[in-house]
Amino acid sequence: MTSHVRHITIDCADAYALGSFWAQVLGAPLSDEDLPGDPEALLETPGAAVLFVQVAEKKQSKNRVHLDIQPHDRSRDEEVERLLALGATLVGDHRRPNGRGWATLADPEGNEFCVECSAAERAVLSGTRLPVTADDVTTAVRLAVDVLATAPADRWEARAGSLEWTCWETAEHLGDDLFAYAVQLGPRTPPLDREVPFRWAPDREGGPHNAVFADRAAGPAGLLATLEASGALLASMTRTTPPGARSYHGYGISDPEGFAAMGVVETLVHTHDLAEGLGLEWAPPAALCDRALARLFPDAPAGGDRWAVLLWATGRAELPGHPRRTAWRWDGRPLEDQTASSAG
């Protein structure tokens, strides 16, 4: 047995005030039990929570341990400006003219931390693609749920786009896909030759084969809750499974990033099907489509409208200069495995 980091604990003079600053930095909430003047404040963050503890001693010198943070949706320099506006101070500027490097800041009590380049900036600097992440799964599912929540309650039995299923069945199928990708990563030794043996069966002849069904008595809100819950399962498994793990999929033995990308693609294109049936508008972020295409459809045309390319890649739309696909499949294998196979 081993140990894990439960809290990163920071000594301070005012636990609630400093915790509130870091809550804005990390976009995470303080515990509902914490109030101004309390001797402790807990910031719930993925992985290990940050605990602020009031002490009488003042900070004496540079911290021997510090936090390195990486912005998700903005550049390093934009994040530095945001944090300075929140009350941080610039301690050391190690940013280089070529875009590399970092900035060392201090929080309102003088604790040093560093702001690194975003993942997108790192990809550009290193000439590599930007991976699909657990956050991408969460983003895709939440965007889909927010759009689908606006659908009229009486439209859910309509046919979903070009599919033979109703909108209700298609949303159930999408949630079941996300669930299936999550559980495929669950065993200590994930299977390489088969799916984890849940029982999949249709609710009616011609319906999707699912292991997960929503309680119809809960209505559309309940249906979307099951979809969001399945998405959270996949995001959690993607985040916590070692990157080198492999598990079976019919379109190639895959890794956690691959299953995340599958979940993103399923969410984006099935929400397209649902939007057609429900009479909604749906246009996911181009960058999200691009990351999914790069991971699962590396031979897809470069450039152009990335959402249009993803719809073409999954047989749902025409693309100028390319024949429409009547059959399609992604390649779930990690890109290095695809390269090795091609070389062999």
Side-chain angles (χ1 to χ4, degrees), residues 275-326:
E276 287 191 334
L278 296 168
L280 304 173
E281 296 293 328
W282 172 243
L288 186 59
C289 299
D290 188 58
R291 291 193 290 278
L293 282 165
R295 177 59 177 82
L296 295 179
F297 302 96
D299 295 331
D305 183 335
R306 305 314 287 160
W307 176 223
V309 174
L310 183 57
L311 289 175
W312 169 83
T314 55
R316 284 169 168 80
E318 296 182 353
L319 191 67
H322 302 273
R324 179 158 185 167
R325 289 188 162 183
T326 56

Side-chain angles (χ1 to χ4, degrees), residues 246-263:
R246 299 289 187 270
S247 189
Y248 174 82
H249 186 274
Y251 290 174
I253 292 173
S254 198
D255 59 351
E257 188 208 355
F259 284 105
M262 295 177 208

Side-chain angles (χ1 to χ4, degrees), residues 1-336:
M1 299 295 291
T2 60
S3 298
H4 71 278
V5 176
R6 183 183 178 201
H7 295 146
I8 298 171
T9 302
I10 299 176
D11 292 347
C12 56
D14 189 329
Y16 189 84
L18 192 60
S20 297
F21 167 81
W22 279 98
Q24 295 180 82
V25 173
L26 301 176
L30 284 175
S31 170
D32 293 337
E33 299 178 357
D34 293 328
L35 298 171
D38 284 354
E40 297 182 358
L42 182 65
L43 186 60
E44 301 283 2
T45 58
V50 184
L51 178 63
F52 300 89
V53 178
Q54 182 177 320
V55 297
E57 299 83 6
K58 294 184 178 180
K59 184 175 184 292
Q60 299 294 322
S61 61
K62 181 181 181 299
N63 292 356
R64 294 295 300 271
V65 177
H66 68 269
L67 303 180
D68 290 340
I69 65 172
Q70 183 182 59
H72 289 301
D73 55 356
R74 57 181 63 88
S75 70
R76 174 200 60 195
D77 294 349
E78 290 169 336
E79 182 68 346
V80 168
E81 294 305 314
R82 183 181 78 90
L83 300 182
L84 292 175
L86 289 177
T89 55
L90 183 64
V91 175
D93 197 337
H94 307 282
R95 292 173 286 186
R96 303 172 188 169
N98 64 2
R100 299 181 183 273
W102 67 95
T104 302
L105 276 61
D107 69 18
E109 291 205 13
N111 299 298
E112 299 89 359
F113 64 97
C114 294
V115 183
E116 301 181 344
C117 292
S118 68
E121 290 174 306
R122 285 178 177 271
V124 170
L125 289 168
S126 62
T128 58
R129 68 178 181 86
L130 196 59
V132 181
T133 67
D135 288 335
D136 288 331
V137 175
T138 300
T139 296
V141 172
R142 289 182 177 177
L143 288 174
V145 167
D146 288 346
V147 168
L148 297 174
T150 66
D154 60 356
R155 293 290 295 270
W156 284 94
E157 292 306 312
R159 181 170 156 176
S162 60
L163 304 180
E164 297 296 328
W165 303 328
T166 69
C167 290
W168 183 282
E169 291 172 332
T170 301
E172 280 186 326
H173 166 74
L174 173 55
D176 187 78
D177 279 340
L178 299 173
F179 168 83
Y181 298 151
V183 300
Q184 203 63 25
L185 295 169
R188 283 177 291 178
T189 303
L192 299 177
D193 58 350
R194 66 191 184 283
E195 295 173 341
V196 175
F198 285 87
R199 186 176 70 87
W200 274 272
D203 205 27
R204 66 167 179 86
E205 186 175 351
H209 284 65
N210 293 353
V212 174
F213 293 92
D215 182 357
R216 285 186 175 267
L223 172 65
L224 296 181
T226 66
L227 174 57
E228 193 162 10
S230 291
L233 285 175
L234 178 57
S236 295
M237 291 306 302
T238 301
R239 184 174 286 112
T240 57
T241 303
R246 299 289 187 270
S247 189
Y248 174 82
H249 186 274
Y251 290 174
I253 292 173
S254 198
D255 59 351
E257 188 208 355
F259 284 105
M262 295 177 208
V264 168
V265 170
E266 296 276 13
T267 300
L268 300 187
V269 300
H270 279 316
T271 303
H272 166 79
D273 302 328
L274 287 161
E276 287 191 334
L278 296 168
L280 304 173
E281 296 293 328
W282 172 243
L288 186 59
C289 299
D290 188 58
R291 291 193 290 278
L293 282 165
R295 177 59 177 82
L296 295 179
F297 302 96
D299 295 331
D305 183 335
R306 305 314 287 160
W307 176 223
V309 174
L310 183 57
L311 289 175
W312 169 83
T314 55
R316 284 169 168 80
E318 296 182 353
L319 191 67
H322 302 273
R324 179 158 185 167
R325 289 188 162 183
T326 56
W328 63 274
R329 60 183 291 170
W330 59 56
D331 192 336
R333 296 173 298 166
L335 295 184
E336 58 268 27

